[in-house]
Amino acid sequence: MIAPIYVTQPFLPPLAEFQPYLEQIWANKILTNGGPFHQQLEHSLCDYLGVDHLALCANATVGLVIALQALGIKGEVITTPYSFVATSHSQMWNGISPVFVDIEPDTLNIDPAKIKAAITPRTTAIMAVHCYGNPCAVDAIAQIASESNLKVIYDAAHAFGVKHRGTSVLRHGDLAVLSFHATKVFNTFEGGAIVCPDAKTKQHIDHLKNFGFVDETTVVAAGINGKMSEVNAALGLLQLKYVGDALAARQKVDAFYRTALQGTVGITCLAKPINATPNYSYFPILVGTDFPTSRDTLHAAFKAKSINTRRYFYPLISSFPMYRSMSSADPQHLPVATAAAHSVLCLPIYPGLSPQDQARIVQVIHDI
Ligand code: T4K
């Protein structure tokens, strides 16, 4: 029997190398609440990512919830429907109404040209997503935000290590939130981080993620428990030693697909981002009407061969029951996002994907 291929597989360092970290945790008995590995990982990630401050958190979803709290966002937030549900769920958890606008056909990121028309007196922020790790139109978004006095939060769940014009894409916006989930380029099993522009904001976020505690008897905000444990932080320190190798392996898979699929009628690979260093976190293809089958038939053909592809992001967030009655969720206003959701298929990409399996994947498309 042929082994199944998953859309992604977490990268794991050699187990034996994790033992000393665990021994240290067992020895000092500090398991969480900002212990030594937590502090070390914050410093190491700032160095690696080229940012000044970041606050680790339990996952990106709680990171987004905290980011909105930290900036005091209320009312309406302009956002993309083409993302994982956590993007807009984080707004709902803050009592904020998401306002969906369409995306750009080339990058599948929020279209800045659509943002302006969606601004109302209740708008306080823009939450954009660097989808698949490809940078948003950060300059245009910054310009609109400054003209209309809006905050910008980047859902950077996919954007670990991505550079834009030579510097970290995480430096854009008022805050940027990373995910270190098992399925991501860099993982701590579960985890995330909020990238902040200054020490004061980081301190505020550190309070918010720890119930609002400043000291034993002082609580300054209605905070939440969004802390990362020492085991997760230790794993992050170990993963960081291998992340360069993991990215290089992903780049090879990306290059193989691009070459092997070139000229395949009806299949479009999403263009590589301009002026950016990508992280090859996903490999989305768009299945056009000139391909012999529909996207869903291709998805099923893969499944029949035990190859798990994923329709990230179908259905659109705006079509889920808690959003669909909102006026901005009307698919007529979201033609590009709707078309992308119906044609996208993410092919497997991860460091351990063998050349034989890559060839098997491309063969399914070519056979059709
Ligand atoms: N914003 C954006 C734009 C996001 O994409 C996400 C998460 C978030 C915010 C929130 O981040 P976190 O709060 O999670 O930090 C997955 C992930 O659960 C989710 O983190 C991710 N985005 C989303 C795009 O994908 P599923 O439901 O597709 O995952 P699942 O469990 O089906 O896993 C996919 C494949 O990965 C499996 O078929 C096998 C493999 N896998 C998965 C896990 C969990 C493993 O081999 N080992 C594992 O432990 O959502």
Side-chain angles (χ1 to χ4, degrees), residues 331-353:
Q332 282 194 342
H333 300 313
L334 307 167
V336 182
T338 303
H342 284 92
S343 61
V344 73
L345 199 60
C346 285
L347 301 185
I349 185 165
Y350 51 93
L353 188 66

Side-chain angles (χ1 to χ4, degrees), residues 11-254:
F11 177 78
L12 287 171
L15 186 55
E17 290 187 26
F18 198 40
Q19 183 75 19
Y21 292 87
L22 290 176
E23 283 170 8
Q24 214 169 311
I25 293 171
W26 256 246
N28 67 23
K29 296 190 170 55
I30 302 292
L31 309 187
T32 186
N33 288 8
F37 285 135
H38 182 283
Q39 289 176 34
Q40 221 177 307
L41 183 60
E42 286 193 342
H43 289 300
S44 301
L45 281 173
C46 281
D47 287 347
Y48 180 84
L49 296 168
V51 299
D52 298 327
H53 304 276
L54 64 76
L56 293 173
C57 51
N59 55 65
T61 307
V62 81
L64 290 167
V65 170
I66 293 170
L68 288 159
Q69 285 275 324
L71 297 175
I73 305 300
K74 302 212 161 32
E76 292 175 358
V77 168
I78 297 174
T79 193
T80 170
Y82 191 81
S83 182
F84 189 62
V85 284
T87 306
S88 48
H89 281 3
S90 68
Q91 299 162 33
M92 299 286 266
W93 274 66
N94 277 289
I96 293 162
S97 306
V99 174
F100 300 106
V101 302
D102 210 359
I103 56 173
E104 297 176 312
D106 296 341
T107 62
L108 308 184
N109 286 329
I110 196 165
D111 186 345
K114 304 281 160 52
I115 294 177
K116 241 181 183 165
I119 297 173
T120 74
R122 295 192 66 224
T123 311
T124 54
I126 300 164
M127 188 183 281
V129 179
H130 300 302
C131 195
Y132 310 129
N134 295 336
C136 289
V138 287
D139 296 335
I141 291 172
Q143 171 83 21
I144 296 164
S146 124
E147 281 166 13
S148 302
N149 198 22
L150 305 176
K151 300 284 186 196
V152 179
I153 296 174
Y154 280 107
D155 178 338
H158 303 172
F160 185 91
V162 171
K163 291 195 172 138
H164 177 63
R165 291 202 290 262
T167 57
S168 174
V169 76
L170 305 168
R171 286 182 165 274
H172 292 277
D174 293 281
L175 294 170
V177 180
L178 287 160
S179 170
F180 305 151
H181 181 258
T183 55
K184 299 295 189 286
V185 163
F186 169 85
N187 86 79
T188 58
F189 284 18
E190 289 274 5
I194 307 172
V195 176
C196 336
D198 54 71
K200 194 166 164 233
T201 311
K202 172 175 158 47
Q203 192 184 44
H204 183 40
I205 288 171
D206 283 343
H207 295 154
L208 284 175
K209 77 179 189 193
N210 188 26
F211 313 98
F213 274 110
V214 171
D215 59 39
E216 228 177 288
T217 53
T218 318
V219 175
V220 290
I224 198 166
N225 182 354
K227 293 173 271 109
M228 178 183 277
S229 85
E230 284 293 279
V231 173
N232 299 99
L235 188 62
L237 284 167
L238 182 54
Q239 294 276 32
L240 211 43
K241 295 185 183 170
Y242 290 92
V243 74
D245 296 343
L247 288 170
R250 284 175 173 276
Q251 183 172 11
K252 279 193 183 159
V253 180
D254 180 284

